[in-house]
Amino acid sequence: MARTVEIPDYEIQDDVVLDPERTALVVVDMQNDFVKEGGALVVPGAEATVPRIAELLELARSSGMRVVFTQDTHGDDDPEFRIWGEHVRRGTWGWEIVEELAPRPDELVIEKVRYDAFYGTHLDHQLRQWGVDTLVLCGTVANICVHYTAASAALRWYHVIIPHDAVSALHDFDLESSLRQTAFLFNGTITTVGALRAA
Ligand code: ZN
């Protein structure tokens, strides 16, 4: 039976200044299977975030911030298929990042096998090489791959910033509980796309 709970207040910052030298924009799993009609695991609301994420890319690229894309990637008989069914099988249309947000050749694409983009990848190494200490996270799913990447980043002492209008989830509850955890537990910043600007 569904229960009603109150969402504890968390602050939504209305002016966030970013140092482009030390900030990376991380676009999480904006792949056809999660975003586009006909995809294997479509997240309602993901497509509506595409223009917001395009704005973030414009801000990052025009100010010289690093840009990272994560790409959920599975092969044959991946254990995740037992949880979610088949999705983002390498080389398929569903695996590709949506064309509106296509990475540029000089931007890092991290193929990841689990929710956390740090798990089993060289993401942390690359961010440290760049001298990045702040991550702006966007994409989908807010309480799954965005959340576990935010958690993993925060545990490594990166500052995590999430514009809530640039993430999406399967249920409002999941989205809200994830944002609250980021604000409260990870000491992160919740904001909006329009509130972000480069120093
Ligand atoms: Zn997956």
Side-chain angles (χ1 to χ4, degrees):
M1 200 174 75
R3 288 188 301 128
T4 303
V5 294
E6 236 170 74
I7 305 159
D9 266 342
Y10 56 84
E11 214 173 325
I12 298 177
Q13 307 287 338
D14 60 8
D15 186 30
V16 178
V17 182
L18 303 166
D19 176 353
E21 296 266 304
R22 298 167 62 171
T23 305
L25 172 66
V26 182
V27 180
V28 177
D29 295 8
M30 289 297 285
Q31 294 159 261
N32 290 321
D33 263 351
F34 301 128
V35 179
K36 294 293 182 180
E37 200 185 327
L41 268 179
V42 175
V43 179
E47 179 123 51
T49 64
V50 170
R52 299 288 81 72
I53 295 171
E55 283 176 55
L56 292 173
L57 282 169
E58 169 60 27
L59 173 69
R61 287 165 175 164
S62 65
S63 64
M65 273 175 224
R66 303 286 185 169
V67 177
V68 179
F69 292 82
T70 73
Q71 187 171 25
D72 201 31
T73 300
H74 302 303
D76 293 337
D77 299 324
D78 193 290
E80 255 196 31
F81 294 168
R82 294 202 289 273
I83 307 175
W84 297 105
E86 220 178 278
H87 63 286
V88 298
R89 189 186 277 269
R90 184 198 299 279
T92 62
W93 168 83
W95 171 72
E96 288 166 18
I97 292 168
V98 300
E99 61 180 1
E100 300 94 315
L101 305 175
R104 293 185 178 170
D106 62 328
E107 292 168 345
L108 179 65
V109 179
I110 295 281
E111 292 186 8
K112 66 184 192 40
V113 293
R114 296 247 57 200
Y115 310 146
D116 172 6
F118 288 89
Y119 173 81
T121 73
H122 66 296
L123 178 58
D124 186 51
H125 170 79
Q126 190 58 69
L127 294 171
R128 289 180 197 281
Q129 290 280 305
W130 288 337
V132 161
D133 60 13
T134 300
L135 302 183
V136 177
L137 285 162
C138 63
T140 206
V141 179
N143 62 302
I144 309 176
C145 293
V146 176
H147 186 81
Y148 283 91
T149 299
S152 205
L155 290 174
R156 292 170 169 84
W157 297 112
Y158 292 96
H159 183 61
V160 170
I161 299 171
I162 297 183
H164 73 82
D165 48 348
V167 293
S168 48
L170 294 164
H171 303 285
D172 285 346
F173 171 83
D174 297 329
L175 180 64
E176 291 298 338
S177 67
S178 162
L179 294 174
R180 148 85 176 164
Q181 287 295 86
T182 294
F184 169 69
L185 185 60
F186 309 155
N187 199 28
T189 301
I190 306 301
T191 185
T192 60
V193 171
L196 291 169
R197 59 195 170 92

